[in-house]
Amino acid sequence: KAGVTQTPRYLIKTRGQQVTLSCSPISGHRSVSWYQQTPGQGLQFLFEYFSETQRNKGNFPGRFSGRQFSNSRSEMNVSTLELGDSALYLCASSYGDRGYEQYFGPGTRLTVT
Amino acid sequence: KNEVEQSPQNLTAQEGEFITINCSYSVGISALHWLQQHPGGGIVSLFMLSSGKKKHGRLIATINIQEKHSSLHITASHPRDSAVYICAVSLSGTSGSRLTFGEGTQLTVNP
């Protein structure tokens, strides 16, 4: 089976712009979680989608949003980018919504200038 | 105080040494995960456990639910084991796959 894929792998944006990141889970996996990793805050949970429904949301402002499609692919969007949004954005997929191992994608490294 | 704490933060070892990384948590959990992150960012799940002990090759993970403590052991360490090791937990009483992470342990194994 192919692993979790994320596109793009690298992205440079300017403050105030918006960005959309994509995540394709492992075939058959219905849960997709998104995480932000920064040197200062470490890994933090953004949100999780299961069967096209947002199941959990982390403590991030409303500028961060996401969605999941019927084929389980997920996108996250960040509007009005700030310098502090520069980070590695990771998605992880799992078969079910609880008690299953998570498989991580390679991440998208976003730089905001 | 973080809900998940790891020690040590940094660890340098010589090839062949036995390595232990510790993780303590202060919340109720349904599972504990050990993850490995190499330079470049990719994260690999090493173990998911809710009780007892698991072994995979040279890696062993144990968990003590009563003491809220887990350890990751690496036997016969090798330079390719150099990576950041992250402890993460799935909180009990919550639905979904949300993980709460420790700060990670940077392991360097010298030849």
Side-chain angles (χ1 to χ4, degrees):
Chain A
K1 275 187 182 178
V4 179
T5 59
Q6 291 186 245
T7 57
R9 293 292 311 279
Y10 303 91
L11 204 49
I12 300 175
K13 288 286 189 179
T14 303
R15 246 182 333 179
Q17 288 186 316
Q18 76 163 19
V19 67
T20 299
L21 311 182
S22 180
C23 173
S24 292
I26 291 172
S27 177
H29 285 193
R30 295 178 295 167
S31 172
V32 174
S33 298
W34 287 90
Y35 301 94
Q36 182 197 64
Q37 186 176 34
T38 60
Q41 299 296 321
L43 275 159
Q44 294 184 285
F45 171 79
L46 279 158
F47 29 65
E48 178 201 359
Y49 288 87
F50 180 77
S51 294
E52 300 180 66
T53 301
Q54 187 179 89
R55 295 296 297 269
N56 287 293
K57 190 176 194 309
N59 190 24
F60 279 81
R63 300 185 296 107
F64 291 81
S65 64
R67 59 178 175 168
Q68 186 180 34
F69 302 95
S70 58
N71 62 357
S72 293
R73 189 177 70 86
S74 178
E75 289 181 347
M76 67 163 281
N77 184 276
V78 188
S79 63
T80 319
L81 284 165
E82 300 177 359
L83 295 178
D85 297 332
S86 294
L88 180 67
Y89 290 88
L90 293 150
C91 79
S93 77
S94 63
Y95 177 75
D97 68 334
R98 186 180 176 89
Y100 291 89
E101 190 170 2
Q102 294 198 29
Y103 296 83
F104 286 80
T108 294
R109 188 165 295 281
L110 172 66
T111 302
V112 182
T113 62
Chain B
K1 185 170 163 50
N2 293 335
E3 293 174 316
V4 182
E5 296 200 336
Q6 289 183 235
S7 64
Q9 287 189 318
N10 293 282
L11 182 56
T12 299
Q14 288 300 121
E15 184 173 357
E17 285 186 358
F18 181 86
I19 289 164
T20 296
I21 300 171
N22 296 299
C23 175
S24 297
Y25 52 93
S26 56
V27 292
I29 69 169
S30 58
L32 184 141
H33 306 250
W34 282 103
L35 311 171
Q36 180 192 56
Q37 185 172 33
H38 279 283
I43 291 179
V44 175
S45 176
L46 299 175
F47 296 102
M48 183 180 79
L49 63 166
S50 55
S51 65
K53 174 180 175 177
K54 286 190 176 181
K55 184 176 189 290
H56 184 252
R58 296 180 294 107
L59 301 178
I60 303 167
T62 64
I63 188 168
N64 184 318
I65 298 294
Q66 286 72 31
E67 294 186 4
K68 295 188 174 180
H69 181 269
S70 175
S71 293
L72 175 68
H73 305 287
I74 304 176
T75 63
S77 60
H78 191 275
R80 65 175 175 267
D81 297 326
S82 298
V84 176
Y85 292 83
I86 303 167
C87 173
V89 299
S90 302
L91 302 181
S92 62
T94 61
S95 63
S97 303
R98 173 179 189 159
L99 295 179
T100 300
F101 301 88
E103 293 183 351
T105 296
Q106 173 69 62
L107 171 65
T108 302
V109 182
N110 294 317

